[in-house]
Amino acid sequence: MSSLKSFIKSVRAAKTMADERAVIQKESAAIRTSFREDFTDTNLRRQNIAKLLYLFTLGERTHFGQIECLKLLATSKFSDKRLGYLGTMLLLDENQEVLTLVTNSLKNDLNHPNQYVVALALCTLGNIASQEMARDLFTDVEKLVVTQNPYLRKKAALCAMRIIRKVPELEERFVDKAKSLLGDHHHGVLICGMTLVYDLCVEQPTLIPQFRQFIPSLVRQLKSLTTSGYAPEHDVAGISDPFLQVKILRLLRVLGRGDQSATEQMNDILAQIATNTDSSKNVGNAILYEAVLTILDIDADSGLRVLGINILGRFLGNKDNNVKYVGLNTLSKVVELEPNAVQRHRNTILECLHDADISIRRRALDLSFDLINDQNVRVLVRELLVFLETADTEFKANMTVQICVAADKYAPNKRWHIDTVLRVLKLAGNYVSEQIISQFIALVSNTSNMQLYTVQKLYSLLRSDITQEGLTLAGAWVIGEYGDELLKAGTFEDEETTLEVKESDIVQIFEGLLYSTYATQTVQEYVLDALVKLSTRMSDPSQIERIRRLIMSQTTALDVEIQQRAVEYAELFGFDEIRRGVLEKMPAAVIREDRKLQPEKKAIKSVPPIASQPKSETDILLDLMSGGIDDVPQSSVVAPANGDLLSMALGGGNFPSLPTSPSPTNGQMNGKTNGKTSDLLADVFGGSPSTASAQPQANGQQQSINDILGLFSTEASSSSASAHVSLPMQMSSPTVTQTGLNPPATNPASGQTYPAYPAYAQNGLTLTLQPIRDGTTPAGVVNVFASFTNTGSIPLSHITFQVAVPKTQQVELRPISKADLAPGESASQAVRVSASVGAQVRLRLRVSFGKGEEEIVEQVLFNQFPADLLAS
């Protein structure tokens, strides 16, 4: 068997993938054979494990070596233990059953007299500890956190972080230990101790007040580091222990957030760091960056915040693209907090648009659009139009939308607005969306005093360029609609030249468009529309006949849409009066607010680290933006598209889905099979909504509700295996409507009324949350009724609602009653939250739905429920 070195050489020497695969398979087979023969030679076993680790880095299957790693842990030789623990950390994870065999080895090695063996056990436990391992071994780690050996103290502190994350209820055991670490004189222990305290504060924000007493000592330590002389053991590029400085700044940011007195203690040292730190090297830039984040995240005075923005502005002039990117990225997050301060660096941001790095250009472009307001719209849009001319292809589509949105929102006058859109059409007409064209047409039709100017500009542009599809579409519509004004004016000045407009010239342009190689199907359709309109705007019979012949030439077109238009338009030429009446000028288009152009939405916006909301809450709540909920245990539940909403809305647990149509002979229906009950059941269970009563009948509907409740009770009792949560269902009678259930406004047992709290109201969708608790609801449990309403004029589809709660709470969702909503329709969904008595209910909501062709994903932090909601 070859050595590790020769094996690596063989793999690297392979000239093809097949050769490399053959070498790896041969060596893997030899390793398997060696394991099966059970050699007692530990040197050979160690060599095989080393080869497996190399194969692991290549992405090969190495599971067959897991037990061999555990065998190395049982040896007394340090080199064997070290390789065994390394293999255990890499080849195993917390979800594998074989990990339970490691617990005893870790227990023994945590009490080993050799500090390096103890350190190996701490590193392994800190990387792969499961909940069971954390509960079994936390007492040993707890002792090591306060040991006299600083080498073990710092490793134990980091291991404690893993234990707290796996078993949050153990955090109280480490709070006092963490406090003692903040006063340590060893820099390594200090760094690890502050990391532990930071993690405690993030995981449990209620602990923050306990650690605020250490702010003065943290400030003193930070001041000592910034003013101390050269210390060779801690010096990095002329700065004393930058790693410790960064840790202190991060901890101060958490402790000072939302506390004015704490902020006042930090202001002086933050100003000192921001002023005196050397920014010529990356070490200094790292400290400055953390200082800026701290300044912007706490309640610092305006002068200090401006100083922080100026530091980010200096980052933009750095030669290192990484520093430049960090500056742009952070400025984009604070532009809404300090717009005036960011505006001072506008020129530097615009210079970044021409950077060679595409990621820098992308961030600078996003920030440039964020800077636009009514004072600088002319300057910034002019610079962005210059950039649009040479921009990367992937930028142009979004840039056209962003520029047109800015022009619509901040245009100083209509002429500037029209000129801007025309410039966009000329530079990137092949990248504009149909919505931009329609918005421009609506703008022109509503601005009668600019119609002549617009039609003249488009006529001039089409004379020189017909390669831009967006330009030809806008030009065809406007010239076809307002061609009479163009002809009436006769001549006009355009860029120091005088153009004379004749009917034959206009027809010639459209004839060239119709047969151009650049003409798409849509362009040909627009041209036909324009030509038939122009036949009523022109007076020369020869040109009208020419138009008729052009339209007739398309009656045999291969495309059915073009052929149909041409045939119908050609027929109109036999009825002049009808043609003139049909093709009169269109009335001004009505621009509706919900149809206005919107910039392209990013998939999901992340919560910036310097937002006004506490970072501790954004960290304690699960991040639903990171790609799904498969890895979220019991904290986030996604409801299926269809299922049983009614049981959860009425206070029930996880009951099985009901049949789509109830049996008329069901004993729970009490023999009632009248039309009203059948309509009600059909409505609740997804039947035809046409028979649902808009005005509920109190007595009859009460009986129908009771019948349904009886059906739920039977279903639940007969399916106890799937009903893992059972709650009483005694509530006042809710109203059943076409879209689901409306909750009762009053709790019958307590008489307390909870209103519906608004949670989201954008993009045509309104979401409200109403808590429901009565006298029979268990302590620490609240049912929440979520109501969705389409307040816009566009249908909404595939509505998905997700909820995340802190790790100390649990949430369950029932299916939404209706995932597709027409304008004015509503839907409902039930949510059940379980927490400790007296806890504050905090929810992170994620709503996704389709609106037309647009997919919208929004995330909201909701904490508006009363603080005493779970008081009992």
Side-chain angles (χ1 to χ4, degrees), residues 282-301:
N282 276 344
V283 176
N285 289 328
I287 295 175
L288 287 173
Y289 176 66
E290 291 296 334
V292 169
L293 292 183
T294 303
I295 289 171
L296 297 175
D297 209 17
I298 63 176
D299 299 329
D301 56 61

Side-chain angles (χ1 to χ4, degrees), residues 343-582:
Q343 288 284 353
R344 297 191 183 100
H345 306 282
R346 187 177 65 201
N347 294 334
T348 309
I349 295 169
L350 292 175
E351 289 176 5
C352 294
L353 291 174
H354 307 287
D355 194 274
D357 191 325
I358 188 173
S359 60
I360 300 295
R361 296 199 299 273
R362 182 181 290 109
R363 299 307 301 165
L365 185 60
D366 293 340
L367 182 55
S368 298
F369 284 118
D370 292 336
L371 289 176
I372 297 177
N373 56 37
D374 50 1
Q375 281 82 32
N376 60 23
V377 62
R378 289 178 181 269
V379 176
L380 280 177
V381 169
R382 182 172 64 247
E383 293 291 339
L384 291 170
L385 287 172
V386 172
F387 177 66
L388 178 62
E389 192 168 3
T390 59
D392 301 82
T393 302
E394 61 183 283
F395 291 165
K396 289 189 175 182
N398 188 42
M399 282 192 68
T400 57
V401 175
Q402 295 273 18
I403 292 174
C404 291
V405 168
D408 180 65
K409 189 174 182 179
Y410 301 111
N413 53 66
K414 294 296 184 182
R415 177 163 179 167
W416 182 89
H417 189 178
I418 291 173
D419 284 338
T420 299
V421 180
L422 289 176
R423 182 70 174 166
V424 170
L425 295 175
K426 179 181 178 181
L427 295 176
N430 290 327
Y431 301 92
V432 298
S433 63
E434 292 183 4
Q435 195 175 4
I436 292 178
I437 304 297
S438 62
Q439 291 280 331
F440 176 69
I441 290 173
L443 171 65
V444 175
S445 66
N446 280 277
T447 315
S448 56
N449 60 329
M450 295 302 299
Q451 289 170 356
L452 175 59
Y453 172 78
T454 305
V455 74
Q456 288 175 341
K457 292 289 291 184
L458 283 169
Y459 174 78
S460 174
L461 291 172
L462 287 181
R463 278 171 53 92
S464 58
D465 184 12
I466 61 171
T467 63
Q468 301 295 327
E469 181 179 359
L471 180 63
T472 56
L473 293 178
W477 194 94
V478 174
I479 294 176
E481 189 71 14
Y482 306 111
D484 54 338
E485 297 187 26
L486 180 63
L487 292 169
K488 189 184 300 183
T491 60
F492 65 94
E493 298 290 333
D494 181 66
E495 296 182 359
E496 301 180 356
T497 60
T498 302
L499 294 179
E500 183 178 359
V501 183
K502 299 179 182 178
E503 293 183 0
S504 59
D505 296 334
I506 297 177
V507 178
Q508 182 66 36
I509 289 176
F510 282 108
E511 184 176 4
L513 279 174
L514 191 61
Y515 298 113
S516 170
T517 56
Y518 298 103
T520 62
Q521 176 188 336
T522 306
V523 170
Q524 290 177 324
E525 293 169 0
Y526 271 62
V527 169
L528 288 176
D529 295 346
L531 285 172
V532 73
K533 287 182 183 180
L534 287 172
S535 69
T536 65
R537 277 43 164 187
M538 292 182 177
S539 56
D540 188 349
S542 63
Q543 297 304 320
I544 296 176
E545 177 61 20
R546 184 180 177 186
I547 290 174
R548 190 188 70 81
R549 290 198 301 270
L550 285 173
I551 293 176
M552 286 294 296
S553 68
Q554 299 300 311
T555 56
T556 57
L558 295 178
D559 184 81
V560 177
E561 175 66 25
I562 294 175
Q563 183 185 117
Q564 181 178 349
R565 292 192 188 208
V567 170
E568 293 175 355
Y569 292 163
E571 278 298 308
L572 286 175
F573 279 89
F575 307 92
D576 287 346
E577 291 299 323
I578 295 177
R579 176 165 53 89
R580 293 185 181 278
V582 169

